[in-house]
Amino acid sequence: CLLISCGQLAIEAGGNGILRRFHHSFSEYWYMSYFVFVAWWMCEFSIAMSQYILAWVTQMWYFAPYVNGHKVDAPRCGLIAGLANALRFHIGTLAVGSMYQTLIRGPQLILGALAGMVHGQRNAVTGCIGDSLRCGLACFNRYLVRFSKVAFLDVAITSSNFAPAASRAYELLSNEVPAVSALHGSQAIFTFVGVAAISCAGCLLTLASVSGCDMFNNPHSFLFVSHPKAVAGCSGIVSFFIATSFMTVLDTVTDTVLYCFAMEQRRHKRFRAKLQEAEEEQVGCIGPWSPLSWLGGSSDGILPIYQESAPRYAPQRLRNLLSDA
């Protein structure tokens, strides 16, 4: 508002009286555009910071070992510790990542919607759109689709830069555990349904309270509400913002748990592959110098021993759910 008011005030005669308008120079339009960009960047940065803190706390809990069926060494005052970790080690990564999100958010949403149309039911219209935007859709499928909030989850776990974290997160969720990718996508539907249900519930409860209570519908009451539907609509808007805050926390924590599970499965798979390769190379030659001697001194039964003794960080119910899926 201050930048807008810095323009040259001009008084003009209009059909309904005198009109006052601000005329701005080219540089002032640049100043206002820069202000909008920085404001949007700060919003993206605050979102990235909150996602990193939640992801950091969640992965610290996830990778805490189970002892007698309970997590031990779980972080205390996790939110404060996560904030300190972000400010000390990753403030630059979060700033760069949020700037990328600011620059590509619009093209990402537009091209993502067009890609969904093209890959869905193909007809003459979607075929024409796909052919005319082939370059843009190829850029989206190769680059833009990787830049999502999952990148900040990988940063919290691996302490990588934003771009490598975004590529690794996309590849991990796409190829490692198909059930994790399916649950990761369905979480967005659950979040949308939760926000819609809470918003509608707040609106309807307010409307029922205002319409059913005598103190609100009695014209002689001090608390009389003359427009109950308007009040209910305002209550629905407030409920929407509250629901969005809570459901965003739930969505980030759930995505982090699924991502940690996928990363854990990749680590187990790679270590089993190394053990199997070492067994094949050292058959009949196991000795004190062997890399497998610390697992028992013999190549027989090493993989089953690892399968039984390898740490399992995921809750049992989550493992059962993903194994069934």
Side-chain angles (χ1 to χ4, degrees), residues 3-4 6-7 23-35:
L3 286 175
I4 295 176
C6 289
H23 295 278
H24 301 89
S25 62
F26 181 77
S27 60
E28 289 172 340
Y29 280 116
W30 272 106
Y31 297 153
M32 288 186 283
S33 301
Y34 177 76
F35 177 83

Side-chain angles (χ1 to χ4, degrees), residues 76-121:
R76 297 181 179 180
C77 301
L79 295 178
I80 299 176
L83 177 60
N85 181 273
L87 294 177
R88 182 178 180 183
F89 299 107
H90 295 291
I91 190 71
T93 302
L94 297 178
V96 172
S98 59
M99 186 184 66
Y100 286 160
Q101 295 287 75
T102 304
L103 295 174
I104 69 174
R105 178 76 71 183
Q108 192 177 46
L109 293 176
I110 296 173
L111 292 176
L114 293 176
M117 293 171 55
V118 171
H119 296 316
Q121 296 182 354

Side-chain angles (χ1 to χ4, degrees), residues 66-187:
Y66 274 103
V67 176
N68 296 326
H70 298 281
K71 289 278 189 180
V72 296
D73 295 333
R76 297 181 179 180
C77 301
L79 295 178
I80 299 176
L83 177 60
N85 181 273
L87 294 177
R88 182 178 180 183
F89 299 107
H90 295 291
I91 190 71
T93 302
L94 297 178
V96 172
S98 59
M99 186 184 66
Y100 286 160
Q101 295 287 75
T102 304
L103 295 174
I104 69 174
R105 178 76 71 183
Q108 192 177 46
L109 293 176
I110 296 173
L111 292 176
L114 293 176
M117 293 171 55
V118 171
H119 296 316
Q121 296 182 354
R122 189 171 181 85
N123 51 39
V125 177
T126 57
C128 180
I129 294 175
D131 294 337
S132 60
L133 299 177
R134 188 181 302 274
C135 179
L137 294 178
C139 178
F140 171 79
N141 293 324
R142 187 171 182 179
Y143 300 107
L144 296 184
V145 73
R146 302 173 183 270
F147 292 96
S148 64
K149 68 174 184 179
V150 187
F152 297 111
L153 311 185
D154 188 272
V155 171
I157 298 173
T158 63
S159 296
S160 300
N161 293 329
F162 180 77
S167 299
R168 179 170 49 247
Y170 176 77
E171 188 271 334
L172 181 64
L173 290 178
S174 301
N175 303 325
E176 191 61 33
V177 184
V180 169
S181 180
L183 290 177
H184 176 76
S186 63
Q187 181 64 23

Side-chain angles (χ1 to χ4, degrees), residues 40-296:
W40 193 351
W41 186 6
M42 290 298 100
C43 291
E44 292 286 354
F45 179 79
S46 63
I47 295 173
M49 178 68 74
S50 62
Q51 290 174 345
Y52 176 87
I53 294 173
L54 291 172
W56 189 87
V57 175
T58 304
Q59 64 91 19
M60 290 294 291
W61 170 86
Y62 182 92
F63 288 111
Y66 274 103
V67 176
N68 296 326
H70 298 281
K71 289 278 189 180
V72 296
D73 295 333
R76 297 181 179 180
C77 301
L79 295 178
I80 299 176
L83 177 60
N85 181 273
L87 294 177
R88 182 178 180 183
F89 299 107
H90 295 291
I91 190 71
T93 302
L94 297 178
V96 172
S98 59
M99 186 184 66
Y100 286 160
Q101 295 287 75
T102 304
L103 295 174
I104 69 174
R105 178 76 71 183
Q108 192 177 46
L109 293 176
I110 296 173
L111 292 176
L114 293 176
M117 293 171 55
V118 171
H119 296 316
Q121 296 182 354
R122 189 171 181 85
N123 51 39
V125 177
T126 57
C128 180
I129 294 175
D131 294 337
S132 60
L133 299 177
R134 188 181 302 274
C135 179
L137 294 178
C139 178
F140 171 79
N141 293 324
R142 187 171 182 179
Y143 300 107
L144 296 184
V145 73
R146 302 173 183 270
F147 292 96
S148 64
K149 68 174 184 179
V150 187
F152 297 111
L153 311 185
D154 188 272
V155 171
I157 298 173
T158 63
S159 296
S160 300
N161 293 329
F162 180 77
S167 299
R168 179 170 49 247
Y170 176 77
E171 188 271 334
L172 181 64
L173 290 178
S174 301
N175 303 325
E176 191 61 33
V177 184
V180 169
S181 180
L183 290 177
H184 176 76
S186 63
Q187 181 64 23
I189 301 175
F190 179 78
T191 302
F192 174 79
V193 172
V195 171
I198 295 174
S199 302
C200 293
C203 180
L204 294 177
L205 288 175
T206 302
L207 182 62
S209 300
V210 173
S211 301
C213 295
D214 183 69
M215 68 175 64
F216 297 128
N217 56 30
N218 187 357
H220 302 287
S221 174
F222 176 73
L223 300 176
F224 172 68
V225 177
S226 59
H227 298 85
K229 293 183 180 179
V231 174
C234 294
S235 175
I237 295 175
V238 174
S239 300
F240 170 80
F241 287 108
I242 296 175
T244 301
S245 301
F246 282 96
M247 295 304 296
T248 300
V249 172
L250 178 62
D251 178 68
T252 303
V253 172
T254 304
D255 286 344
T256 306
V257 170
L258 294 175
Y259 188 80
C260 290
F261 179 83
M263 183 168 288
E264 180 187 2
Q265 297 306 307
R266 165 172 286 189
R267 291 175 180 175
H268 289 318
K269 182 186 296 184
R270 289 180 175 178
F271 194 75
R272 285 194 298 266
K274 290 182 180 180
L275 285 180
Q276 188 173 3
E277 182 181 356
E279 280 186 345
E280 294 174 355
E281 293 178 355
Q282 302 296 333
V283 170
C285 301
I286 300 296
W289 52 271
S290 171
L292 300 178
S293 59
W294 63 277
L295 285 175

